[in-house]
Amino acid sequence: MNRIPHHALLFLLGILVGCDYVRPTLNAPLKQWEPGGGYRFANVSQGGEDNSDSLLVIATFSGGGTRASALAFGVLRELARQQIVWEGQRKRFLDELDSISALSGGTFTAGYYVLHGDQIFHDFEPRFLRKDWESELRSRILRSPSNWIRLWSPYFGRTHILAELVDEALFNGKTYGDLLQRRRRPMLTIHATDMATLSRFEFEQTQFDWICSDLAQLPLARASAASAALPLMLSPITFKNYAGTCGFEYSKGIVESALKQSGTAAQRAKEYLSYLDAHKRPYIHLLDGGLSDNMALRAVLEARNLAGGVEKLLQYMRVTNVKKFVILAVSAETSPDVMDFGSYQIPTLAQAMRSLVDVPINRYSTDTVSLMRQAVKRTRDELGQRTRPADSPFAENADIYFINASLSEVVDPDERGALMKIPTGLSLTDEQIDRLLLAASRLIRGDPEFQRLMKDIDAGN
């Protein structure tokens, strides 16, 4: 009789143990709900000379792998180069950045900047952008026996390995609690997609209150990996729903008002309410944030609708005397090349998978930009037609600006086509990164709304 080698028995035993016991640490419960507590904009910092409320800048970083990380980094670098005089203080435009909403590849840049500030300009390129993380991730999944054992567990997936990789590369075990202790802007909002409701799930305490979970204890890497969990390629990340255990009470007035409306406000309210039944929804499974909002702009649009207008939204953020409200969208969107589908042969599985993800994301992104332009125009018209009430967060003669630093806005068609062809994985060549960084600078400087904003700032308007 052939005997199984000792090391093989140990390996098989390891698999069985892994199946039963390899369970990643879940999100922590919230012991007691505190209205207004935890990681949210009002608790990050109060406006001051270094970062004023009067020039309120909200940036959004799209998904798209390392290409999105590189484009977002290029935008931050360009904003650091732009000098302004605001409220009598000479500073960089970047110093007035108040909030970043990001997903997938954009979270790597956003998270590192919010955590480390200007250090990003010294080590982010060699530490992250110019490394082949795609090969590293593949190696850890395919060539590591210890990970084979862990991956055999039904509770552990490929995205957990990505989270470990991102933590080593960028975050060093830091949590949202560490961000809260820094007490400085910008605020970081990462979002993923809830598999059950197909809705945006945001990593800020406002969202975590509904599931009675303490965001402060959650590692940044876990949120970033969840937001990058592209279907088929990576696995979902699972969170536990502790709803009903912390004394949380939602604002019935706001929710009931939203439910009476049609469209996104009512839908968003229903999505929030679904979390309150922990017996029906004991666990929340999250995928890539791009599936629900690849521009990261829907949060602004929907928050505006839920709050009852821009003024209500800014009041919730506890900002005052806003003279210029700036929304900056950074999008590394892709555009398929029709030449890739010129053959009579049936498209490959890889092509079909790319289309499966790209079609809804790109179509949705186009609609989102259109809706944002409409919302900005409507808000600008409203600001110009009436006198500010006493409790308005807007100052007299306030204005709003929408800057679209998206690859689709590149003017030169050849350059735009070349940028669109850059892959969305976790590895780029130095030439591709340099091209994206240059494009980011040109997109900012060439944007008509950015030019109008800088002209207004120079004129003291």
Side-chain angles (χ1 to χ4, degrees), residues 431-451:
E431 180 183 358
Q432 290 169 333
I433 292 171
D434 292 339
R435 198 163 200 162
L436 286 163
L437 296 180
L438 180 59
S441 294
R442 289 174 174 171
L443 283 167
I444 291 294
R445 295 196 305 266
D447 183 84
E449 280 288 89
F450 182 75
Q451 294 173 356

Side-chain angles (χ1 to χ4, degrees), residues 72-83:
F73 174 72
V75 165
L76 290 178
R77 193 172 68 174
E78 182 59 36
L79 295 181
R81 293 168 176 163
Q82 297 290 328
Q83 298 291 314

Side-chain angles (χ1 to χ4, degrees), residues 25-28 192 201 203 208 211 213 215 218-219 222-223 226 237-242 281-286:
T25 302
L26 293 172
N27 51 306
F201 184 92
F203 289 87
F208 272 56
I211 62 172
S213 183
L215 179 63
L218 188 75
R222 185 68 61 86
I237 286 277
T238 299
F239 287 81
K240 184 171 176 56
N241 187 0
Y242 303 98
R281 300 200 62 193
Y283 295 98
I284 300 159
H285 306 285
L286 302 177

